[in-house]
């Protein structure tokens, strides 16, 4: 009976050791695989539309030193869209232009549809054009040459925008003040 008690004791000790190892492994896996809290998403600040004045030109400006996350937030099945809107690279503000005027930049807009209007200082539309950009996660380049009628004024604007999918209104409007040749 003494040998039998010894064998039962060894089996009980072995079961306790295995159970302790299992509990330790479970604890370790839960602590090491604990989800981390998400980092805050930086904001992008867009300046308001110009209200007048020849020298005013605005465009969306990201907050310095920030980059939006490239992966979806925890529990989300969509990725955050970055660089929404339009940035105009050409023509430059206050530049002298003639027909056709080259208009280029970067855009990430509804259906990738970029519309362009050349107007004189009185608000008369002298020419219309369009270009295709992106409707994606990031902006992509666009370019168009817009033919326009001669102006009776010495100054005007190039307006670049995307028509709203909801009501057709001008979205992401960028206005570049120009001089006519």
């Amino acid at each position: 009976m003494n040998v039998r008690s010894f064998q039962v004791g060894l089996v009980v000790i072995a079961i306790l050791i295995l159970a302790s190892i299992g509990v330790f492994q479970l604890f370790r896996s839960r602590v090491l695989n604990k989800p981390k809290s998400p980092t805050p998403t930086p904001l992008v600040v867009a300046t308001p539309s110009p209200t007048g004045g020849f020298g005013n030109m605005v465009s969306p400006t990201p907050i310095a030193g920030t980059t939006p996350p490239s992966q979806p937030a925890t529990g989300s099945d969509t990725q955050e869209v970055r660089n929404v809107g339009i940035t105009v690279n050409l023509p430059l503000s206050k530049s002298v232009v003639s027909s056709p005027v080259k208009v280029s930049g970067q855009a990430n807009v509804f259906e990738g549809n970029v519309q362009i209007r050349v107007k004189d200082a009185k608000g008369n539309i002298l020419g219309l054009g369009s270009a295709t950009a992106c409707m994606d996660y990031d902006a992509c380049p666009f370019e168009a040459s817009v033919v326009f009628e001669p102006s009776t004024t010495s100054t005007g604007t190039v307006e670049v925008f995307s028509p709203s999918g909801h009501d057709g209104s001008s979205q992401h409007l960028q206005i570049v003040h120009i001089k006519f040749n």
Side-chain angles (χ1 to χ4, degrees):
M1 219 155 76
N2 219 355
V3 174
R4 188 78 160 143
S5 297
F6 181 73
Q7 289 175 339
V8 170
L10 282 178
V11 170
V12 168
I13 290 173
I15 290 173
L16 287 174
I17 290 173
L18 290 175
S20 297
I21 291 172
V23 168
F24 175 75
Q25 291 296 333
L26 180 64
F27 172 77
R28 190 172 128 197
S29 69
R30 286 191 181 183
V31 169
L32 293 179
N33 294 330
K34 183 178 178 183
K36 295 174 177 73
S37 59
T39 57
T41 303
L43 300 175
V44 174
V45 176
T47 54
S49 307
T51 56
F54 185 78
N56 293 340
M57 180 181 153
V58 296
S59 63
T61 310
I63 295 175
T66 63
T67 305
S70 62
Q71 294 295 318
T74 303
S76 171
D77 62 352
T78 60
Q79 185 169 351
E80 183 177 339
V81 176
R82 301 178 295 181
N83 303 319
V84 175
I86 298 171
T87 302
V88 178
N89 298 332
L90 285 176
L92 298 174
S93 180
K94 300 181 185 178
S95 61
V96 178
V97 301
S98 58
S99 182
V101 61
K102 182 178 177 181
V103 180
S104 66
Q106 300 272 326
N108 183 10
V109 293
F110 179 70
E111 293 185 345
N113 187 1
V114 177
Q115 296 294 309
I116 303 160
R117 291 186 291 237
V118 178
K119 290 183 172 182
D120 65 14
K122 297 176 185 176
N124 298 316
I125 297 175
L126 305 176
L128 298 170
S130 64
T132 302
C134 292
M135 181 175 156
D136 201 356
Y137 295 118
D138 290 307
C140 66
F142 70 88
E143 183 176 308
S145 291
V146 181
V147 176
F148 60 91
E149 297 174 18
S151 175
T152 58
T153 64
S154 63
T155 62
T157 58
V158 173
E159 297 180 354
V160 183
F161 64 96
S162 176
S164 166
H166 179 66
D167 61 7
S169 63
S170 300
Q171 301 292 307
H172 310 292
L173 175 64
Q174 298 297 303
I175 299 174
V176 179
H177 296 275
I178 56 170
K179 296 177 183 178
F180 293 109
N181 187 8

